Amino acid sequence: MVTPPPNLMQGIYLAQTGHKVEALAYLRHAARTESIGTEGWLWLAAATDDLEEYRYCVQMALQLDPIHAVALRMRDELARRGIPVEPLPGNGTGRLDHAVGDLPRGSTQRRRIVLAVIVLLLVAAFIVAAYVITVTDILEDAVDEVDQALSGSETTLSIGSAPGFRFSVDLPESWLAADEDSADWQAARAALEEANGGDVWGRVDESFSAVTRDPVYGGVQPPARLVNTDQEALAREGVVATLALHAIKPLPEVEAGEEPTVCNRMVALQHDLEGGLASGESQQTLASGVIERDLPDDCVFFMQTRTNPAGGQDVFLVGPEPDTVRSVAVAVPVGAGRYALWWMTFADEASSGYQDTLDQVLDSLKYIPES
């Protein structure tokens, strides 16, 4: 059985399991020391955040296989962004030097040996083909994530007057900050009011500069929201999908003997919020946890709940009221001692369609300290 080189195998495994930083080290080492083939170059492209390295990997993959479907998609995406991928000179394909029919004839025993070798080669080729197909399918999923990252946009929010708070988050292009002071939002709101009526949008948006934080209890009033303005989604789901900042509060202290890191304090927060937020017969907790992100001591807490519209956070209807909505509490650190509590709300029946967006929020939502 033909297997990929060891560093390449380890890099692919790490990339598949979400450990991109570790995967990148193995994949780069494999590219220098092993023959990694088309799939190896594409895995390296999917793992790197360096645009020039990404372009070079696509270039190398196309040198080895000029008609590889995933490599062509990646090349076309780069081209749409004004980054050409020029072909490298030379031929990256490999060929057998002799056809099977050219083998010399010999004794029956020799022919049997040759036949056995041919059978083994065919079995090996089948195994390799199956491996390549499997890896390509997984790689296409990884490339979809890269495409989404390239096609999304980073939104930076300034909330409240000086000193105020600033946050950034990566969201699809259809998501906008519902800030009354924003010209982009005013234009989007006019289109939304024409398509869906105007009653709801006056309750959705606020002037972000006028948002205040209660110095005693930490509540943010009124909540600052980002909303999905996709007209098809609104018509299909009947609920305005929102991501809203509701509070900025102190992180709880850890138990005696524990190190008071941000991540440990997020775990303590998880214990507190699971009891406080998940209470009530009308609310069902679906999942919760603390996720450690790429930077040192950078953790985020989340809790997904299903509830009726009356008990949900930030439920704005533009159609018939659904039986249930999905509300996701997301807590991100604000410095070393506080956390910001956000709520993401959308139609429960559309939850699978918002999973990628939720993953983006959990991965990218962060507080920007004052410089």
Side-chain angles (χ1 to χ4, degrees):
M1 178 177 176
V2 179
T3 58
N7 289 300
L8 177 60
M9 284 186 65
Q10 183 66 15
I12 291 174
Y13 169 76
L14 288 168
Q16 289 172 339
T17 54
H19 299 83
K20 286 180 62 175
V21 175
E22 296 89 341
L24 197 55
Y26 277 95
L27 292 169
R28 283 173 174 166
H29 184 66
R32 290 193 300 268
T33 61
E34 299 169 352
S35 177
I36 64 173
T38 305
E39 306 299 335
W41 286 110
L42 294 180
W43 273 111
L44 179 52
T48 184
D49 292 326
D50 185 296
L51 192 56
E52 179 57 28
E53 184 177 29
Y54 181 92
R55 183 201 63 78
Y56 179 75
C57 292
V58 175
Q59 195 174 31
M60 291 299 296
L62 288 171
Q63 182 191 26
L64 294 171
D65 186 353
I67 60 172
H68 194 286
V70 176
L72 291 173
R73 280 178 52 197
M74 296 164 84
R75 181 202 64 185
D76 293 344
E77 180 63 32
L78 287 169
R80 281 195 293 271
R81 299 178 187 284
I83 305 171
V85 178
E86 302 295 339
L88 293 170
N91 187 350
T93 61
R95 294 185 177 87
L96 290 173
D97 292 330
H98 303 284
V100 173
D102 294 336
L103 291 172
R105 298 181 179 274
S107 63
T108 301
Q109 183 179 6
R110 187 173 182 181
R111 286 198 297 273
R112 287 175 179 170
I113 293 173
V114 171
L115 182 60
V117 171
I118 293 173
V119 171
L120 288 173
L121 288 173
L122 289 173
V123 171
F126 174 78
I127 293 172
V128 171
Y131 167 80
V132 169
I133 290 171
T134 302
V135 169
T136 300
D137 288 343
I138 298 172
L139 183 58
E140 290 221 15
D141 291 339
V143 171
D144 286 340
E145 293 181 6
V146 173
D147 287 347
Q148 186 177 32
L150 289 172
S151 61
S153 62
E154 182 181 69
T155 300
T156 301
L157 310 173
S158 295
I159 297 169
S161 55
F165 295 89
R166 295 180 67 223
F167 296 88
S168 69
V169 62
D170 293 334
L171 287 170
E173 297 283 355
S174 60
W175 286 71
L176 292 178
D179 182 1
E180 289 180 350
D181 304 326
S182 164
D184 289 342
W185 169 251
Q186 290 174 4
R189 174 176 166 172
L192 292 167
E193 288 175 339
E194 182 177 353
N196 302 282
D199 293 343
V200 67
W201 303 109
R203 293 183 288 116
V204 169
D205 62 8
E206 303 289 349
S207 171
F208 281 17
S209 61
V211 171
T212 61
R213 173 182 174 270
D214 188 313
V216 177
Y217 298 104
V220 171
Q221 291 295 332
R225 301 182 182 91
L226 296 101
V227 301
N228 184 11
T229 62
D230 185 292
Q231 295 279 12
E232 293 183 1
L234 289 166
R236 182 173 60 249
E237 298 158 14
V239 176
V240 181
T242 62
L243 176 65
L245 174 64
H246 278 256
I248 298 174
K249 297 184 176 184
L251 279 166
E253 298 298 330
V254 299
E255 295 184 1
E258 280 192 300
E259 188 178 356
T261 64
V262 168
C263 289
N264 285 343
R265 295 177 76 176
M266 276 291 179
V267 173
L269 176 67
Q270 177 185 6
H271 297 154
D272 291 349
L273 294 187
E274 281 178 343
L277 297 178
S279 60
E281 295 181 359
S282 64
Q283 189 162 268
Q284 176 188 6
T285 300
L286 304 175
S288 68
V290 173
I291 300 171
E292 187 171 355
R293 301 197 284 195
D294 292 338
L295 296 177
D297 205 22
D298 179 21
C299 292
V300 57
F301 162 74
F302 77 96
M303 184 171 71
Q304 285 203 48
T305 62
R306 177 185 291 127
T307 185
N308 60 50
Q313 298 282 346
D314 288 308
V315 179
F316 300 100
L317 301 177
V318 289
E321 180 175 291
D323 294 332
T324 55
V325 294
R326 188 72 60 96
S327 292
V328 187
V330 179
V332 298
V334 176
R338 293 184 291 187
Y339 71 93
L341 180 61
W342 295 74
W343 282 94
M344 184 174 176
T345 304
F346 45 85
D348 190 31
E349 64 180 14
S351 58
S352 61
Y354 282 101
Q355 187 59 53
D356 287 342
T357 303
L358 175 57
D359 289 342
Q360 280 184 275
V361 170
L362 294 175
D363 186 58
S364 67
L365 179 59
K366 61 180 180 289
Y367 166 70
I368 303 175
E370 292 291 332
S371 57

